[in-house]
């Protein structure tokens, strides 16, 4: 099982959604920023590193919003989604095809990765 972390970053009523690069697995699907936890890292350390690498921002990691396990044909992920806020920097597209600030009402307009389905349902219930 692959340990993955992601950030739920809010800006007012909108949260940050990122579109995966076309050449990667699940290309052009939308997701929360994040990635794999590397050996020797805590989940929080991995999330801070991923946000720096992918968006050129420094984040503050908050509480866990939700954890899910999802089986893809090529791997099984255990995803921990943390509340997070941007401490410094403006998000840049260093890795993603696109990034957008969206409202909960706009979730259905984007095709998200299957692992995010239960998370998105919970966000819509708020």
């Amino acid at each position: 099982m692959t340990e993955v972390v992601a950030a739920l970053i809010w800006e007012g009523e909108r949260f940050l959604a990122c579109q995966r690069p076309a050449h990667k697995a699940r290309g052009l699907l939308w997701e929360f920023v994040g990635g794999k936890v590397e050996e020797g890292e805590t989940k929080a350390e991995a999330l801070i590193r991923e946000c720096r690498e992918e968006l050129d921002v420094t984040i503050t990691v908050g509480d866990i919003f939700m954890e899910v396990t999802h089986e893809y044909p090529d791997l099984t992920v255990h995803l921990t989604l943390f509340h997070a806020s941007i401490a410094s920097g403006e998000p840049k597209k260093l890795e993603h095809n696109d990034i957008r600030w969206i409202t909960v009402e706009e979730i259905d307009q984007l095709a998200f990765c299957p692992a995010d389905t239960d998370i998105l349902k919970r966000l819509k219930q708020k």
Side-chain angles (χ1 to χ4, degrees):
M1 182 157 341
T2 303
E3 283 294 332
V4 177
V5 289
L8 177 55
I9 302 172
W10 290 93
E11 182 180 83
E13 295 294 313
R14 302 178 307 157
F15 67 89
L16 189 63
C18 301
Q19 189 179 38
R20 292 179 62 80
H23 67 278
K24 288 206 167 179
R26 288 157 288 286
L28 301 181
L29 292 180
W30 291 81
E31 65 181 1
F32 299 95
V33 62
K36 293 178 185 152
V37 178
E38 294 179 357
E39 193 170 332
E41 282 183 317
T42 66
K43 289 181 180 183
E45 289 168 344
L47 191 54
I48 290 167
R49 175 186 50 76
E50 289 284 351
C51 289
R52 187 176 55 248
E53 290 174 359
E54 295 183 3
L55 298 174
D56 193 27
V57 296
T58 301
I59 62 160
T60 301
V61 179
D63 294 334
I64 294 172
F65 176 76
M66 191 171 177
E67 294 185 63
V68 296
T69 299
H70 184 81
E71 290 185 38
Y72 287 108
D74 56 330
L75 83 157
T76 300
V77 296
H78 176 256
L79 169 63
T80 306
L81 181 68
F82 289 89
H83 286 288
S85 57
I86 296 175
S88 65
E90 285 291 321
K92 297 178 184 73
K93 292 186 286 186
L94 301 182
E95 164 117 1
H96 294 94
N97 188 61
D98 197 5
I99 55 176
R100 290 187 198 165
W101 293 99
I102 67 168
T103 64
V104 170
E105 293 75 27
E106 295 171 313
I107 287 171
D108 292 335
Q109 296 173 22
L110 302 178
F112 276 84
C113 290
D116 295 330
T117 302
D118 289 340
I119 293 166
L120 297 168
K121 283 181 192 167
R122 182 165 168 200
L123 281 170
K124 290 183 202 176
Q125 292 169 354
K126 290 195 152 216

